[in-house]
Amino acid sequence: MGSPAASGSPYTTALTNVTVAQVLLRYLALEGVHKVFGIPGGGLLNLLVELKNQRETFDYIICRHETGAAYIADGYYRATGKLGVVIVTSGPGATNALTGVVNADTDGSAILAITGEVAESGFGKGPLQEGVDSGLDVNLVYKSAVVYSAEITDQSECQTLFEQALRDALSLPPRAAHISLPSNVPAEIVPSIALPLSPDNYRARPGGIQRDRVRLAMSQFLATRRPLLFLGAGCREALRDEETLAALTRFVKRYAIPVMTTPDSKGVFPEQHALSLRVYGFCSCLWPQEYMQQSNPAYDGLMVIGTSLKGLSSNNFNAILTPAGPFIQVDLDQHAIGRAFPISLGIVGEAGACIRELDALSPQFPPDQPAVESRLNAIAAIKNTTPFQHPNQYESDATPIQPAALVRVLQETLPPDAIILLDAGNCVSWGIHYFEVSPPQQIHSSLAMGPMGFAVGAVVGAKIGRPDRTCLALVGDGAFMMHGAEVSTAAAHGAGAIWVVLQDNDLHMVSQGENFFFPDPTVWPKVYSLGAPDLAKLAEGLGADAYTIGSPAELAALMPQVIAKADADRKPQVIVAQIDTSALSPYFYPPIPPKP
């Protein structure tokens, strides 16, 4: 890879006569990337040669569809915290990947998408799959959709643009970035380049907080009688750190402050903890509303960290969220503060720094012990009630299987460090409402864009990234048919991912929703039928072990075998669950209105 030259910097190594492709892969290696996902094509001509030459360092995992490749890269990032990289060809390759890349961007996953392009000598002449000067400007499409996009047209700009893409993708919050590479550019020679020795030499992440305002927030928040802490997805990255999670746990325990999370941050605070009220917002647990509804004493203080309080996080801006006292919002993005609700105090800063500062300041704010005891008793009384809208469905052993009961069995049989991925559709509502998740277990959804098929692909990336963990996707049959071909990707690469497919032979979220808002029960259950495909045979044909179950008892008996085969045999496992189609999704449970 070129020859070394004298360097005048202690932070770089100087190389001469390296190609743009070699520079790109050097940067990926610096970021700890050794697996990339995608589908090759002519627009990647010269980059593919270098990937072939460095195949002992980089595993280019060939997927079955470019959107699926982006979902797989997203799942890889979520499971590992490492940059997910998607490499696809020009034209339809680039546009197919777009949905998955945009989903990663809006959900806060660090993704770098590299799309090929025709050689510059053909620009404007209309070669096959041209995406610059023949009606399709791929760079402009991505520029309007993700945090950063650039086209590299010459070796002289490759370093600047590569580094900027990595800075933006691996920022806080993490995002998706895109690089377009005309096929001739990866082979261009860079005469001389000073390559950094570490990512620290070209990027940094925010990690500070307005300490004086945190102190002010403490004085206001801790003076309330019924405070509540609300954590958003902006806390997920921070709470991966065990010390930061321990600081948060100490803080809330000292003052008996209950914790709830947004749906997309479910599980970042242990839901088995005595102070956890689980999820508020879309498909809420019942406990947060009960805490906010009680009037003796009244709910009078809210601290929000790491969420802009969009519709799904706030139950469509339900006024119940507004306390009788201070409303404090902490976010790294100043534009998010006060956008959805009037607040009493806004603090700009990184979530982890805020949490650690709250813990550090605690000795200066002695707890009101009688108030602490009173809150502990009130929270315990709430948690003696069911968190579920329909506990009878959760406890059911009936056939066909209740989706809530299916979640119960998964809860009982999955390892405590499992990684759970929820697809879009009714499956995400049952998963959010009925799972109880505590670290090291993780649960991930895609509630910003909500694309069908996300978890179908993402579970493959999660298992490739964490082969030591059980990785399971809860998906609908419609989504499974969209991207189920990625089961073949898992089989080809020895990834023992597990899919649990809710089979109702319908796009049930839509038909249920239409019947809920525009009742016509004789028609809606029929108009979106999927044709009753044999999903178990489909899965077997793609290389999986497949099973069909219709009761909780069957699932409970099957799960130990499925987990063992996924791990020991490294073979994908697909469970087709025949569910009760009359069970109403938690999407359609009415939100509890605020009391007068």
Side-chain angles (χ1 to χ4, degrees), residues 58-129:
F58 294 96
D59 186 7
Y60 185 22
I61 294 175
I62 306 308
C63 306
R64 304 301 175 256
H65 191 278
E66 292 91 351
T67 306
Y71 292 150
I72 290 171
D74 190 346
Y76 179 84
Y77 166 75
R78 295 190 196 219
T80 65
K82 295 181 180 179
L83 179 71
V85 178
V86 186
I87 300 179
V88 297
T89 194
S90 52
T95 56
N96 281 345
L98 180 66
T99 296
V101 177
V102 172
N103 182 65
D105 185 77
T106 55
D107 255 16
S109 293
I111 299 294
L112 176 63
I114 300 168
T115 64
E117 182 52 87
V118 301
E120 290 172 298
S121 61
F123 282 9
K125 299 177 183 178
L128 179 65
Q129 297 185 345

Side-chain angles (χ1 to χ4, degrees), residues 426-444:
N426 281 348
C427 52
V428 71
S429 64
W430 279 305
I432 293 292
H433 190 72
Y434 288 107
F435 269 118
E436 180 193 87
V437 177
S438 297
Q441 198 169 81
Q442 302 174 29
I443 193 164
H444 298 275

